């Protein structure tokens, strides 16, 4: 993992949930509302937060022990998404680290975009509701291209929309799939430790070019500070 400063960055691309925004309270809340409807007690927020990056699949797995292909999974997934859609901006906020970083990028006229596995029907209203839509130069969602992360297609689509070569983009995320997608797209990759991080390998083992605890570290690495 390199700590050498990097120059020649033309744009930054960001994952959404766990990187730019903290949506875990609303996603965990949706799961526990669904559990309540099924007569089950709530699960601790602390146990659910690391799983948010895996989306509805992870939430339904944690809440009901079912995986794609299991009987009843699709019905519970759809019910979970309905609960989430009803109140997906109750507690979701932009991370303070991300708020500061985006302001610094904009002050330097460095474009940035969003690449998320969140479906368009959720991502667009969330991004709009948080006031990020007018600031982001691109929004590529989980259903924008035929493939979602860790496939590189969404990141390559975002680079094309920005008119920037993929090799001049940096992708920032909080999940192993983010780093895999960025590397496959030929981008430099950054993992943020304020995100959800999932379960399994430690963030330092993902193969990111840089792991950061603060956004100031990223600016220094990009030779912008």
């Amino acid at each position: 993992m390199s700590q050498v400063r990097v120059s020649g960055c033309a744009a930054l691309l960001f994952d959404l949930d766990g990187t730019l925004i903290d949506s875990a309270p609303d996603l965990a809340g949706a799961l526990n509302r669904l559990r309540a409807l099924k007569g089950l007690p709530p699960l601790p927020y602390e146990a659910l937060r690391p799983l948010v990056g895996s989306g509805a699949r992870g939430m339904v797995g944690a809440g009901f022990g079912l995986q794609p292909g299991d009987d009843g999974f699709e019905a519970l997934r759809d019910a979970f998404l309905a609960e989430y859609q009803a109140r997906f901006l109750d507690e979701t906020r932009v991370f303070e680290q991300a708020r500061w970083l985006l302001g610094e990028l904009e002050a330097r006229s460095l474009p940035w975009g969003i690449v998320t596995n969140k479906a368009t029907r959720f991502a667009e209203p969330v991004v709009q509701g948080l006031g990020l839509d007018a600031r982001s130069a691109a929004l590529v969602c989980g259903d924008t291209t035929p493939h979602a992360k860790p496939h590189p297609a969404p990141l390559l689509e975002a680079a094309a929309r920005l008119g920037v070569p993929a090799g001049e983009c940096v992708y920032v995320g909080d999940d192993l799939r983010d780093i895999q997608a960025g590397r496959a797209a030929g981008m430099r990759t950054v993992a943020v430790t304020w995100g959800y991080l999932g379960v399994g390998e430690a963030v330092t083992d993902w193969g990111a070019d840089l792991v950061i605890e603060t956004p100031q570290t990223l600016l220094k690495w990009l030779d912008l500070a």
Side-chain angles (χ1 to χ4, degrees), residues 64-142:
F64 301 96
L66 296 178
Q67 300 299 323
D70 293 344
D71 289 343
F73 172 84
E74 290 189 6
L76 283 170
R77 179 199 60 200
D78 292 347
F80 165 77
L81 291 174
E83 290 292 332
Y84 176 60
Q85 190 166 20
R87 282 175 278 187
F88 51 43
L89 280 172
D90 278 7
E91 298 181 74
T92 295
R93 299 291 183 269
V94 179
F95 281 112
E96 285 303 316
Q97 297 94 325
R99 189 185 306 277
W100 181 88
L101 177 58
L102 296 181
E104 292 295 312
L105 296 179
E106 290 163 356
R108 293 163 172 78
S109 299
L110 194 64
W112 60 272
I114 300 169
V115 183
T116 175
N117 274 358
K118 209 180 194 77
T120 301
R121 67 184 174 116
F122 301 113
E124 283 189 346
V126 167
V127 168
Q128 291 168 2
L130 295 173
L132 297 176
D133 56 318
R135 301 169 63 186
S136 172
L139 172 60
V140 175
C141 305

Side-chain angles (χ1 to χ4, degrees), residues 16-23 92-95 98 126 130 132 196:
L16 186 60
D17 300 79
T19 302
L20 289 183
I21 68 171
D22 187 6
S23 53
T92 295
R93 299 291 183 269
V94 179
F95 281 112
V126 167
L130 295 173
L132 297 176
Y196 305 138

Side-chain angles (χ1 to χ4, degrees), residues 23-36:
S23 53
D26 284 327
L27 285 159
L31 178 66
N32 278 328
R33 287 194 300 272
L34 182 57
R35 282 178 58 86

Side-chain angles (χ1 to χ4, degrees), residues 136-153:
S136 172
L139 172 60
V140 175
C141 305
D143 50 358
T144 301
T145 68
H147 303 282
K149 298 176 295 182
H151 197 281

